[in-house]
């Protein structure tokens, strides 16, 4: 696994201005008449996310793309500018794109998901990832994705109630069901948020902890190691594993 210092450095938020991003979006995506006054930076942990409004250039959007349903006039979008760590590992981002496409194609589950806006290459849409030069450093490039915007409140802002928690559980169940059968080579990776790799995380960082906490975690890690053969016999699938109040 990466050292914590290296990981923190690579995951610093990118630094791209709205003016530079607006020009980049018009030249790299099938969008026009982008409203600069509509730009608003959204909450994000380690990337830059922007809300903006623009018109879709219909002539370069493939007929299979549900962007055609947006019609004419300004429509809302989100631009996501990835941190350096993810931008240097494009296969993981490609897996995210493919997972969203998989959800869009799944007609058996009633899910409202954003539509991916693919970049433009010589007047035709391309699913190749698109990069923008970061303003933090000359050599740093950040992947940019554009998605249609789905209005609503963050769960933290709306507030948790028993009904909302129940509906959230239903939504996650639908999503996980829709993702069943989806796979991508990039998802077979070392990832600290994967609970299966919890033992490795404990071994790497337990020396930094209070002795009592360290002892408790080592006990948990030993028990976890003892059920590895059982875990290996269970079926696996990609799931949304980070549905916190701001996700």
């Amino acid at each position: 696994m990466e050292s914590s210092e290296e990981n923190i450095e690579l995951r610093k938020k990118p630094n791209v201005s709205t003016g530079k991003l607006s020009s980049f979006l018009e030249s790299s995506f099938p969008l026009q008449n982008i409203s600069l006054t509509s730009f608003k930076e959204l909450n994000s942990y380690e990337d830059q996310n922007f809300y903006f409004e623009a018109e879709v250039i219909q002539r370069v959007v493939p007929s299979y793309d549900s962007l055609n349903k947006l019609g004419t006039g300004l429509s809302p979008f989100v631009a996501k500018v990835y941190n350096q760590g993810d931008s240097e590992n494009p296969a993981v981002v490609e897996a995210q794109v493919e997972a969203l496409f998989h959800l869009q194609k799944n007609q058996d589950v009633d899910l409202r998901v954003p539509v991916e806006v693919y970049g433009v290459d010589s007047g035709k849409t391309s699913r190749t990832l698109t990069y923008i030069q970061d303003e933090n450093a000359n050599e740093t490039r950040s992947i940019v994705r554009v998605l249609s915007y789905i209005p609503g409140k963050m769960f933290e802002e709306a507030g948790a109630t028993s009904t909302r928690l129940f509906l959230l559980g239903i939504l996650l169940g639908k999503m996980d069901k829709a993702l069943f059968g989806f796979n991508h080579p990039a998802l077979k990776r070392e990832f600290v948020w994967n609970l299966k790799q919890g033992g490795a995380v404990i071994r790497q960082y337990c020396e930094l902890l209070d002795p009592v906490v360290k002892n408790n975690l080592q006990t948990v890690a030993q028990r976890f190691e003892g059920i590895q053969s059982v875990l290996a016999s269970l079926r696996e699938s990609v799931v949304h594993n980070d549905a916190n109040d701001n996700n």
Side-chain angles (χ1 to χ4, degrees), residues 96 99-100 102-104 106 108-114 150 167-182 237-243 247:
Q96 296 173 12
L100 184 58
H102 177 88
L103 290 174
Q104 291 169 359
N106 194 320
D108 297 330
V109 181
D110 180 24
L111 279 175
R112 188 181 180 192
V113 295
I150 298 178
L167 293 174
L168 175 62
I170 292 175
L171 175 64
L172 291 174
K174 286 182 176 180
M175 184 176 294
D176 292 349
K177 180 181 179 182
L179 285 170
F180 186 74
F182 172 75
S237 180
V238 174
V239 298
H240 189 321
N241 198 36
D242 196 17
N247 266 355

Side-chain angles (χ1 to χ4, degrees), residues 149-199:
Y149 175 78
I150 298 178
K153 291 182 178 180
M154 303 298 286
F155 200 86
E156 181 183 52
E157 182 184 355
T161 65
S162 57
T163 299
R164 286 177 180 148
L165 289 169
F166 180 75
L167 293 174
L168 175 62
I170 292 175
L171 175 64
L172 291 174
K174 286 182 176 180
M175 184 176 294
D176 292 349
K177 180 181 179 182
L179 285 170
F180 186 74
F182 172 75
N183 206 349
H184 192 283
L187 300 179
K188 305 292 184 182
R189 56 176 174 151
E190 288 188 350
F191 188 53
V192 294
W193 300 114
N194 185 344
L195 292 179
K196 288 179 61 178
Q197 297 174 15

